Amino acid sequence: MSFLFALLVLCVFAFTTAEEIPNRLIWFDSSCSQRVQNDVWKDVDQMATSAALSLFTPANNDGQRLFGYIFKTTDGETQQFIDDSMAAITDTATGQESANVLIYCDKDKRWQHATSAQVAGNDDRPSNRKAWFDEENKIVYDPPNPVDNTPGCMSSGPVQGQTYCNCLTSNDKCTITLCERAVTAVFLALLDFRNRDLASDPRLAKIDYFALLSTTILHEIAHTLPNKNTLLARWIDVQGPKGPYRWGGVSAMSATQALANADSFAYFGLGAHIQSQGYTIDIGGSIYQQGQAPASSIGAFIAKPFQ
């Protein structure tokens, strides 16, 4: 399975403290199945909750260690920032109008080429450079200097989801499209394995196996959250030593890279959720029954709890 995520952010925000992280009010379009809206969203919510609990429980060495594997820091302020960011994504909107993150599973069909009235000069651009416009949400998609401007879920590439945040009517409004290859997979969330022993099955005993649709959603929502550690002031996809994605990518990053990288954020939520089910994740991303990971595989790095 390919885990390629795409992001467009053209609006820049100057958030400077964790207290300024606004709640994400999530709304699902009817193009997303009830399974996505219910079971998968429940999994996302449990990821965020588990991440917070793993930080606020001083005796939870597994949670502190996981934080250290991913974010490479013992700083309490950083832990508070991650916790506040996780806490900001657990709310659902009462309706489409009140939402500031709207999630679609429509293959990006709502997008049309913008007119010159919507994007100046667009009618005169070559077809592969034309900007796109989401009339329903008043969002422009016009990435700088791409090879092809096609919205992510319309493309032939291995994109799982794409986030758009260039809204003409609200600086706080973003949309997410979950691509067909992600929403039609057999397994969509950790809940699909509720009756399985993850540690005893060699096919399952790696965190990457569970980077499913729920992890994609957490990753994409991260792109809508403010992050003072990036020039775009949002979580981005960082090209670390081993790329932005999966355990190999996120665990190889420096602290500075990890604190900007959306998949690092998503993998902390995923890992904390797995560990809340009675498992331990080691430094290589392997899953063991809690307390059974070899000492040589878990390392000595334990991030300190909140002060």
Side-chain angles (χ1 to χ4, degrees):
M1 181 180 296
S2 176
F3 283 80
L4 174 65
F5 303 84
L7 166 69
L8 169 70
V9 176
L10 295 180
C11 297
V12 176
F13 297 81
F15 295 98
T16 57
T17 66
E19 289 75 15
E20 296 178 39
I21 297 175
N23 283 346
R24 301 289 84 193
L25 299 175
I26 311 297
W27 174 84
F28 282 92
D29 179 67
S30 60
S31 58
C32 297
S33 69
Q34 288 300 305
R35 184 183 177 197
V36 171
Q37 296 185 46
N38 297 321
D39 289 350
V40 177
W41 176 250
K42 181 179 180 182
D43 216 46
V44 177
D45 181 72
Q46 289 180 344
M47 286 182 190
T49 301
S50 298
L53 288 174
S54 72
L55 291 176
F56 275 113
T57 307
N60 186 350
N61 283 349
D62 283 343
Q64 300 296 325
R65 189 180 292 111
L66 178 68
F67 190 89
Y69 293 158
I70 294 174
F71 294 109
K72 314 297 191 307
T73 180
T74 61
D75 180 59
E77 182 179 349
T78 300
Q79 292 184 341
Q80 185 70 62
F81 167 63
I82 299 300
D83 176 71
D84 289 343
S85 298
M86 290 287 180
I89 64 172
T90 58
D91 289 334
T92 53
T94 56
Q96 184 175 4
E97 293 303 315
S98 62
N100 54 22
V101 175
L102 300 95
I103 299 179
Y104 293 81
C105 305
D106 65 349
K107 305 178 186 178
D108 273 333
K109 289 181 178 179
R110 67 191 182 281
W111 291 95
Q112 303 294 325
H113 278 136
T115 65
S116 288
Q118 294 162 336
V119 176
N122 201 53
D123 292 339
D124 300 324
R125 294 187 188 183
S127 59
N128 69 328
R129 285 291 295 116
K130 288 186 182 295
W132 296 72
F133 191 68
D134 172 0
E135 176 66 36
E136 182 176 343
N137 296 292
K138 302 296 186 289
I139 293 179
V140 174
Y141 178 58
D142 190 15
N145 304 317
V147 175
D148 186 349
N149 266 20
T150 307
C153 293
M154 289 185 183
S155 72
S156 59
V159 180
Q160 302 289 309
Q162 182 147 342
T163 299
Y164 309 88
C165 293
N166 187 22
C167 182
L168 300 181
T169 60
S170 169
N171 284 346
D172 195 36
K173 183 178 181 180
C174 300
T175 65
I176 293 169
T177 305
L178 304 175
C179 300
E180 184 175 23
R181 60 180 51 84
V183 299
T184 58
V186 174
F187 301 114
L188 301 181
L190 190 62
L191 286 171
D192 292 336
F193 299 87
R194 61 173 64 89
N195 296 320
R196 302 280 291 276
D197 182 352
L198 310 187
S200 66
D201 188 336
R203 297 171 300 169
L204 305 183
K206 286 284 188 180
I207 188 173
D208 282 340
Y209 191 89
F210 302 99
L212 306 167
L213 181 62
S214 52
T215 309
T216 298
I217 293 174
L218 187 57
H219 174 115
E220 296 300 331
I221 293 176
H223 285 317
T224 77
L225 290 167
N227 187 331
K228 62 184 178 181
N229 301 297
T230 75
L231 292 177
L232 291 176
R234 292 186 188 273
W235 291 84
I236 62 174
D237 296 330
V238 177
Q239 290 296 330
K242 296 184 178 180
Y245 312 119
R246 300 174 70 90
W247 184 257
V250 303
S251 63
M253 290 187 178
S254 68
T256 299
Q257 291 171 329
L259 286 170
N261 187 52
D263 224 33
S264 300
F265 181 84
Y267 258 70
F268 181 60
L270 171 61
H273 186 21
I274 291 173
Q275 291 192 151
S276 74
Q277 309 301 308
Y279 299 101
T280 295
I281 296 171
D282 76 357
I283 198 167
S286 294
I287 299 171
Y288 296 87
Q289 287 287 347
Q290 195 167 57
Q292 295 183 13
S296 60
S297 76
I298 60 175
F301 193 113
I302 300 178
K304 67 180 181 181
F306 288 128
Q307 300 300 310

